[in-house]
Amino acid sequence: MQDNATEVTAAGIARLAGVGRAAVSNWRRRHADFPKPVGGTETSPSFALAEVEAWLREQGKLAEVPLRERVWQQLAGHPEGPLTALVHTGCVLLLIHERPTVWLDVSAGSDERLAAMLPGALEQVLTPRFGAAAGRANPGAKVAASDPAVNASTGQPPVNTPTAVHTSSVAHDAASPGHSTSADPAASALRTPSGPQLLPSAPLLRGAAELAAELGARQAYEFLLGRHLDANPRQYTLTPAELARLMADLAGPARSVLDPACGTGALLRAVDTRPEQELYAQDGAPHLAALTALRLALHSRAAVRGAAGDTLRADAHPEVRVDAVLCHPPFNERNWGHDELAYDPRWEYGFPARTESELAWVQHALARLADGGTAVLLMPPAAASRRSGRRIRADLLRRGALRAVVALPVGAAPPYNIPLHLWVLRRPDRTPAAPEVLLVDTGRFAGEGRGGPDWEAVREAVLDAWRGFARGGRLEERPGLARSVPVIELLDDDVDLAPARHLPPPAVADGAEQLTAVRDRLGVTLRLTADLTPPPADPAPPARWPLTTVGELARGGALVLRTGGNGGHARVPVLTDHDVLAATAPTGTLPESEEEAVLTEPGDVVVPVLGGGSVARVIDDVTAGAALGRSLVLLRPDRTALDPWFLAGFLRGTANNRQASSYASTATRLDVRRLQLPRLPLDEQRRYGARFRALDEFERALRLASRLGEQLVRGMYDGLTDGTVAPD
């Protein structure tokens, strides 16, 4: 059943039809029968999905809306907003997952009957999974405008808050106008929606049920949640799945786990499941707390206890003592409750300064641990060295609570331009006689450019060092990587815990050997570059070829055009636009979902659509099999009609890119369908293709020589300044 009230934006129409937004704008100008806007604003109108779908089908631009796309558009255009839609959808998917026959019964008949019967059916599932509070229907039709985590006009968490809402953050904006700073009591994360609340969601819920029949209930929810997070990147600061997995592994097996700043549950979802497991979660944004509870319930059979509320001001689990705490707290938050919480019993290691909100989260985590329990927190590097926090850091060290500080590589998590830290803490059951703390620096495993770090190397180095340290309380020194430091060495005036300041440099012999290897490799690359330098160009009159466009070739079947970045399996390497621009290996990730990712094949041509550059990359055997990332278009030519290197070469022409680009106030976007290339016989295409391929090899050699040269220069500077390289 199609929902006539569901609205779709121009971007959604472009996704439905598989075109760029410029094409949708052209349709609106050129076709008088194009559906009229039904909402939105003058600059960003919205249209009725049913009308758009019918028009596209009449024009032959759409055979049938894929089920996933239809359900997503219903969710994105929900009258109460996508977060409310995700909560309603998650409740129904949990019902389908656990009691499918009940869903079949209540879904028979009209939407009105479904909405009337559904609350009672949901209570049968929500109460045993989330407790009695979840089983009570919520009489309110909307979230109150006074809720500090919800924008009164949109029903969504505030975007421009001191700390962004993310998969492990508190979405609290008490400093915003009209928001109370009083400590509101925490509430249950999830309550059964009432019939009137569910009625507008009925078409969406039926579509979600169809999607669950195709993918499974859990996979359907992961797809919809992942698509929402991907569509709103500025509202959420996501904790990467690899980092969440590392944090869970550092905490170790646990029967009870708490995330006091849970967001959408990335950290708790990374925990290995165990029998009779209990998962506790809290977040300042009510919708995010509900999403976490539903996501975890669909993921495992653990008892889920979720709550909405400001954790520091209104702790929902004050009596709980858990085996492990995982937390990605908001950074640099000034309004965390400093004035109200001066005499809070959680400040066992000292009252945090107003500028030390992270140390308040550290002590909250320790206060919720059972004796011997482990907490792992993601921290900004400044928390290890700010003078205002030195007394608390000193007491954490003296009493054996702080066990390890791990410096992550740049690019491990947002903000990507600084190397964040992991703090590993344990609630001590006794004060150690001669405590030591483990310091690890994994900065050497940072990726090139804007790519992510080498997570496999980071995991191996961190877990090996931590497990060795945990067995005996100390670790044999690993130059440049890890060292266990006696606490007494750190208890000076600064109590600076930054690992790089306490680790010895790599072994002198290893450093010299590495520089020699880099120099030898640079010499080989420079000789190759000289060999690959193009011969002098022979002058020729301007060619007057008959031209065609990528769009015409796609319609004629000479190539297949695909766009990427909508989701995929978490472990598939992803080719990003930055990888294409830098000619590097795949480094990205996509929102985790069961949606089928677009996988590259040898001979595909990949083109970035943002930034205004003239770039096209031919996929080779090494890059094949990677998923296509955001802001990329894949062209798969029919080899009997089109040579890949000929196609890629002509797409890189500067004039070609200029005529196919559109310009906004902050970005340039390329309409790949408008790119032109000449109509030439296949043999002539291959002649041009061979020359373009040789140019590509020359360009790659230049890039490699540049990187090796920078590496050699930096290594020489470091060696000369630290004494590991002699001046002559």
Side-chain angles (χ1 to χ4, degrees):
M1 178 178 176
Q2 178 63 57
D3 180 11
N4 292 324
T6 299
E7 298 177 11
V8 61
T9 64
I13 297 173
R15 191 188 293 273
L16 284 170
V19 298
R21 291 186 61 177
V24 178
S25 298
N26 288 335
W27 293 343
R28 292 185 64 196
R29 288 194 300 267
R30 294 166 53 189
H31 297 275
D33 61 339
F34 191 87
K36 303 301 180 185
V38 297
T41 64
E42 184 176 347
T43 56
S44 181
S46 59
F47 307 82
L49 176 60
E51 295 178 9
V52 168
E53 184 180 334
W55 187 87
L56 290 173
R57 193 174 288 111
E58 289 172 2
Q59 296 291 323
K61 303 179 187 300
L62 182 69
E64 183 60 50
V65 179
L67 175 61
R68 299 182 189 192
E69 195 61 40
R70 174 161 57 86
V71 175
W72 162 247
Q73 294 295 349
Q74 289 174 328
L75 188 146
H78 193 282
E80 296 297 331
L83 291 175
T84 296
L86 278 168
V87 172
H88 292 179
T89 303
C91 289
V92 166
L93 289 174
L94 185 60
L95 175 66
I96 293 171
H97 181 66
E98 298 199 352
R99 302 195 179 188
T101 56
V102 175
W103 164 254
L104 292 175
D105 180 43
V106 301
S107 62
S110 67
D111 288 351
E112 289 74 14
R113 178 181 181 273
L114 170 64
M117 296 186 65
L118 195 52
L122 291 177
E123 287 187 8
Q124 300 177 38
V125 173
L126 300 184
T127 299
R129 292 308 303 272
F130 306 117
R136 294 194 295 270
N138 185 357
K142 294 184 179 181
V143 177
S146 62
D147 188 325
V150 179
N151 183 293
S153 63
T154 64
Q156 297 191 23
V159 178
N160 297 317
T161 58
T163 55
V165 181
H166 54 66
T167 57
S168 289
S169 74
V170 172
H172 184 79
D173 188 19
S176 297
H179 290 162
S180 171
T181 58
S182 61
D184 297 327
S188 173
L190 192 67
R191 291 192 179 183
T192 304
S194 65
Q197 289 175 313
L198 288 166
L199 184 57
S201 301
L204 165 65
L205 301 180
R206 295 184 189 278
E210 292 182 55
L211 194 60
E214 179 181 300
L215 302 177
R218 183 184 71 84
Q219 292 84 351
Y221 196 60
E222 288 295 322
F223 160 70
L224 294 172
L225 178 59
R227 178 71 74 88
H228 171 71
L229 297 176
D230 188 41
N232 300 276
R234 295 187 179 181
Q235 293 186 32
Y236 304 92
T237 303
L238 301 179
T239 306
E242 295 88 350
L243 176 58
R245 182 71 249 171
L246 174 60
M247 293 173 68
D249 287 345
L250 283 169
R255 194 187 66 83
S256 55
V257 188
L258 164 69
D259 184 349
C262 64
T264 56
L267 293 177
L268 290 175
R269 193 171 178 274
V271 174
D272 289 333
T273 57
R274 300 187 68 186
E276 300 181 359
Q277 194 170 49
E278 297 174 335
L279 302 177
Y280 296 88
Q282 184 169 349
D283 197 277
H287 277 116
L288 294 182
L291 295 181
T292 288
L294 290 166
R295 192 181 192 192
L296 296 175
L298 283 164
H299 180 65
S300 73
R301 294 300 306 170
V304 179
R305 298 293 178 258
D310 186 324
T311 298
L312 294 182
R313 289 184 172 92
D315 184 12
H317 311 291
E319 306 302 324
V320 168
R321 299 295 179 269
V322 295
D323 299 329
V325 175
L326 300 174
C327 186
H328 178 170
F331 298 159
N332 304 318
E333 188 179 54
R334 297 299 182 94
N335 191 26
W336 57 269
H338 177 271
D339 295 337
E340 304 100 303
L341 302 173
Y343 301 102
D344 195 290
R346 288 173 291 182
W347 314 144
E348 189 177 345
Y349 300 87
F351 181 40
R354 189 184 302 276
T355 57
E356 294 288 351
S357 62
E358 297 86 6
L359 294 183
W361 286 99
V362 164
Q363 294 190 77
H364 174 82
L366 285 167
R368 295 295 159 262
L369 285 174
D371 289 345
T374 302
V376 183
L377 285 83
L378 185 65
M379 302 283 281
S385 56
R386 281 190 297 241
R387 288 188 61 81
S388 55
R390 65 189 186 279
R391 293 182 180 176
I392 295 176
R393 293 196 298 270
D395 209 31
L396 291 169
L397 291 171
R398 288 191 193 97
R399 298 169 61 179
L402 182 58
R403 305 297 293 134
V405 176
V406 177
L408 296 169
V410 171
Y416 290 108
N417 60 329
I418 60 175
L420 300 176
H421 288 179
L422 291 178
W423 285 24
V424 183
L425 305 109
R426 279 194 177 156
R427 183 163 185 83
D429 46 12
R430 60 183 179 82
T431 301
E436 296 195 3
V437 64
L438 175 67
L439 301 179
V440 181
D441 188 350
T442 60
R444 65 173 68 175
F445 304 120
E448 293 184 355
R450 293 182 60 179
D454 182 347
W455 278 111
E456 184 176 348
V458 171
R459 280 180 55 83
E460 181 180 353
V462 172
L463 294 178
D464 183 58
W466 169 247
R467 288 164 181 164
F469 173 75
R471 282 193 295 268
R474 62 182 58 200
L475 182 75
E476 185 176 345
E477 188 175 283
R478 302 178 183 181
L481 180 63
R483 175 193 176 201
S484 62
V485 182
V487 163
I488 193 66
E489 291 186 19
L490 301 172
L491 295 177
D492 54 17
D493 288 342
D494 296 323
V495 196
D496 191 334
L497 306 180
R501 295 189 177 123
H502 302 282
L503 294 178
V508 175
D510 292 344
E513 289 176 3
Q514 290 175 2
L515 286 176
T516 301
V518 171
R519 185 181 183 280
D520 291 344
R521 191 179 176 197
L522 176 61
V524 172
T525 304
L526 289 174
R527 288 190 291 274
L528 176 63
T529 304
D531 294 339
L532 293 174
T533 301
D538 295 329
R544 301 296 183 200
W545 296 303
L547 299 176
T548 185
T549 65
V550 169
E552 290 174 352
L553 291 171
R555 287 191 291 272
L559 59 80
V560 175
L561 187 148
R562 303 287 301 276
T563 58
N566 298 330
H569 301 288
R571 297 300 177 186
V572 176
V574 176
L575 186 70
T576 70
D577 54 343
H578 302 295
D579 300 331
V580 174
L581 294 170
T584 58
T587 62
T589 58
L590 286 175
E592 184 176 355
S593 75
E594 294 301 317
E595 182 175 0
E596 199 66 33
V598 179
L599 301 182
T600 58
E601 297 179 1
D604 289 345
V605 177
V606 177
V607 183
V609 297
L610 295 178
S614 302
V615 178
R617 178 172 176 178
V618 179
I619 300 299
D620 55 19
D621 291 331
V622 175
T623 313
L628 193 68
R630 291 187 291 268
S631 303
L632 290 176
V633 171
L634 179 145
L635 307 176
R636 182 165 293 160
D638 179 354
R639 298 294 190 89
T640 63
L642 202 57
D643 180 76
W645 287 100
F646 164 80
L647 172 63
F650 274 95
L651 296 189
R652 292 192 59 173
T654 301
N656 198 7
N657 274 258
R658 187 180 298 121
Q659 64 85 28
S661 296
S662 58
Y663 305 94
S665 58
T666 59
T668 302
R669 185 174 186 88
L670 180 69
D671 185 351
V672 176
R673 291 175 177 269
R674 292 172 54 190
L675 288 170
Q676 299 176 336
L677 62 159
R679 296 181 181 272
L680 296 178
L682 190 57
D683 288 344
E684 188 71 4
Q685 291 182 32
R686 288 170 177 162
R687 284 185 58 227
Y688 276 95
R691 189 66 182 271
F692 287 136
R693 187 167 192 166
L695 283 174
D696 181 78
E697 292 178 2
F698 176 61
E699 184 179 34
R700 287 172 181 267
L702 287 175
R703 289 177 182 270
L704 178 58
S706 175
R707 289 197 295 268
L708 290 171
E710 291 177 1
Q711 187 177 348
L712 180 60
V713 169
R714 173 49 51 197
M716 289 297 296
Y717 269 110
D718 291 344
L720 287 167
T721 55
D722 64 20
T724 59
V725 173
D728 47 38

